[in-house]
Amino acid sequence: MESWDINNLEVEPRKPVILDSEKEGRAIVIQLSAGEKLGDHQVHERATLIVTDGEIEIDADGETVGGGPGFLSVFDPNERHEIRAKSDARIVLMLSPWPGEGHPST
């Protein structure tokens, strides 16, 4: 078993930390500064996003949602979305399977 205290990890903005990476999935911690965004993008995998600190806003398919600690969102493979930090925020992104079909590394 491996475990992490997500909010006590040293994670710098723009320097994601990969916690685990196996064929079943990848877990990444990302620190976003207030006002920073992960611009309109998509991933090849099913993505689960969990906010552990701060507050974010997500635009996807013309819908805007957001929340703070405990907020969870799931994206289908190749679903386009944008994530904005309304305050300094920490998120965990889980991608499954890793890498997904069509990923450049496959």
Side-chain angles (χ1 to χ4, degrees), residues 51-70:
V51 177
T52 65
D53 192 38
E55 190 172 347
I56 66 159
E57 195 169 72
I58 300 170
D59 287 330
D61 294 327
E63 180 181 2
T64 300
V65 297

Side-chain angles (χ1 to χ4, degrees), residues 69-84:
F71 176 81
L72 181 139
S73 185
V74 177
F75 304 96
D76 288 330
N78 300 307
E79 183 177 353
R80 299 201 66 78
H81 56 279
E82 178 177 278
I83 302 165
R84 288 183 304 279

Side-chain angles (χ1 to χ4, degrees), residues 1-9 18-20 27 29:
M1 179 178 87
E2 293 183 70
S3 61
W4 299 269
D5 184 347
I6 300 300
N7 286 342
N8 286 316
L9 291 174
I18 298 170
L19 300 176
D20 189 47
V29 178

